[in-house]
Amino acid sequence: ILIPFLGLVLAFCFYSARENFKPEMLKGKRVIVTGASTGIGEQMAYHLARMGSHILVTARTEAKLQKVVEQCLKLGAASAQYVSGSMEDMAFAEHVVKEAENLLGGLDMLILNHIGKSYFSYFDGDVGHVQKLLRINFLSYVAMTVSALPMLKESGGSIVVVSSMAGKVGFPFTVPYSATKFALDGFFSSLRQEFSIQNVNVSITLCILGFINTESAMKAAADVVLMSPAPKEECALEIIKGGALRQREVYYKYASTKIPLLIRDWAADFLDYLVRKCYSVENLKKN
Ligand code: NDP
């Protein structure tokens, strides 16, 4: 009885000692947001703009990025610029970071958020697709981190990695995607340990998201996933807050992400069963 009680007291003390988020924390900060032409990335760019950051957004579709930049400037960004290209190409991933150096003169926060297109169905055995997705969703994150590290060390900055419940728990119908998200956890959680040992003052925040109402997620999964999606605007803000506060991990929404993970290590089969109950497999077959 005493151990859980002490645990609760310690958790409470830790929680109340945490610094509170203030939008001014992002004022004048130099931030890269990847995958910012749509969805959560686009919303993060708008939040950062309202907070007065210098923003560099990237994705493939130039026309959409131009509109995001225009909107960021209207919302009050200190500056807003874009670089377009595909993260399948590691040279492009490095180029984006170089552009941040040229255009912003340094970097305070690197928000890694983009994902390549995948399918929402049973694993089809296409190894080439898994390789391609690993390049876009994982290796480009590694390449950007390596390139950005000298600037982040100089600023005492932050790396924010957008992941998913599918990167912590086995979910059906997203096998290649889940593999890339689990890889992010392995890489960035290990790197965080080394930063700690080497006193590298760069924080790493891994964001564990549940189902969010972005256009692409709704199109792919709304008929099959029996959960209500959370709003992308609020999700985007929670990611930024977690990064600014240098939190180890962000759970959004807390009840649908953190609680299942508490079950995972004690009753994995039970959690798998609950996860399967959240899918309407009949609707998948009609897709
Ligand atoms: P979207 O599909 O809305 O956005 C994906 C972004 O990535 C777009 O800006 C897209 O732009 C860009 N992108 C796609 N392919 C490439 C490529 N080859 N190179 C560079 N950029 C590319 O995604 P969400 O907003 O839904 O998701 C954002 C993050 O949140 C992801 O990391 C995702 O895994 C995570 N997440 C989302 C959930 C959800 O339910 N929505 C749930 C859990 C996690 P363009 O096509 O112009 O290149």
Side-chain angles (χ1 to χ4, degrees), residues 29-250:
K29 297 291 181 196
R30 299 152 298 179
V31 186
I32 293 178
V33 187
T34 73
S37 62
T38 54
I40 300 164
E42 179 185 0
Q43 298 306 317
M44 286 196 277
Y46 298 154
H47 283 302
L48 289 162
R50 287 184 204 100
M51 293 170 196
S53 305
H54 292 276
I55 308 161
L56 180 62
V57 290
T58 179
R60 292 169 307 172
T61 319
E62 192 168 3
K64 286 187 190 168
L65 289 173
Q66 273 169 353
K67 287 195 179 142
V68 172
V69 161
E70 270 172 36
Q71 186 61 16
C72 284
L73 292 170
K74 276 190 204 151
L75 290 172
S79 71
Q81 296 170 88
Y82 72 86
V83 196
S84 60
S86 175
M87 289 289 176
E88 202 182 337
D89 175 9
M90 294 315 113
F92 175 71
E94 287 156 12
H95 168 70
V96 174
V97 176
K98 199 78 207 149
E99 281 297 284
E101 194 170 9
N102 296 337
L103 298 168
L104 310 177
L107 190 65
D108 298 291
M109 188 179 275
L110 173 64
I111 304 184
L112 299 165
N113 165 77
H114 63 276
I115 42 166
K117 202 168 163 41
S118 192
Y119 54 85
F120 189 83
S121 192
Y122 290 103
F123 179 51
D124 66 4
D126 183 350
V127 180
H129 177 68
V130 179
Q131 264 179 338
K132 178 177 171 175
L133 217 59
L134 274 166
R135 274 200 300 280
I136 300 170
N137 295 9
F138 173 63
L139 283 179
S140 70
Y141 282 43
V142 174
M144 288 189 80
T145 297
V146 171
S147 305
L149 214 45
M151 284 193 286
L152 291 172
K153 280 182 180 170
E154 203 179 309
S155 63
S158 314
I159 302 168
V160 178
V161 180
V162 181
S163 187
S164 164
M165 274 299 274
K168 289 276 188 188
V169 171
F171 278 11
F173 314 130
T174 52
V175 169
Y177 169 81
S178 293
T180 67
K181 293 298 191 186
F182 268 81
L184 289 175
D185 196 350
F187 180 83
F188 284 100
S189 299
S190 303
L191 193 65
R192 191 192 293 111
Q193 286 279 43
E194 295 189 4
F195 283 2
S196 181
I197 293 166
Q198 297 170 306
N199 291 319
V200 173
N201 185 25
V202 175
S203 63
I204 295 180
T205 301
L206 186 72
C207 306
I208 313 305
L209 312 182
F211 188 27
I212 314 297
N213 69 354
T214 62
E215 209 182 311
S216 60
M218 295 301 286
K219 209 166 139 194
D223 292 344
V224 182
V225 176
L226 303 172
M227 278 181 299
S228 356
K232 61 187 176 195
E233 298 81 1
E234 185 184 69
C235 175
L237 185 58
E238 290 307 308
I239 294 171
I240 292 169
K241 282 183 186 175
L245 294 173
R246 304 173 85 79
Q247 284 172 9
R248 173 196 175 87
E249 290 185 334
V250 167

Side-chain angles (χ1 to χ4, degrees), residues 8-20:
L8 276 176
V9 171
L10 278 174
F12 179 75
C13 293
F14 179 71
Y15 190 78
S16 20
R18 272 190 343 181
E19 200 185 352
N20 286 327

Side-chain angles (χ1 to χ4, degrees), residues 264-283:
R264 181 190 56 176
D265 296 335
W266 298 95
D269 286 335
F270 178 58
L271 180 60
D272 280 357
Y273 166 80
L274 292 180
V275 165
R276 288 195 299 275
K277 285 278 158 208
C278 293
Y279 288 81
S280 167
V281 179
E282 310 78 61
N283 290 351

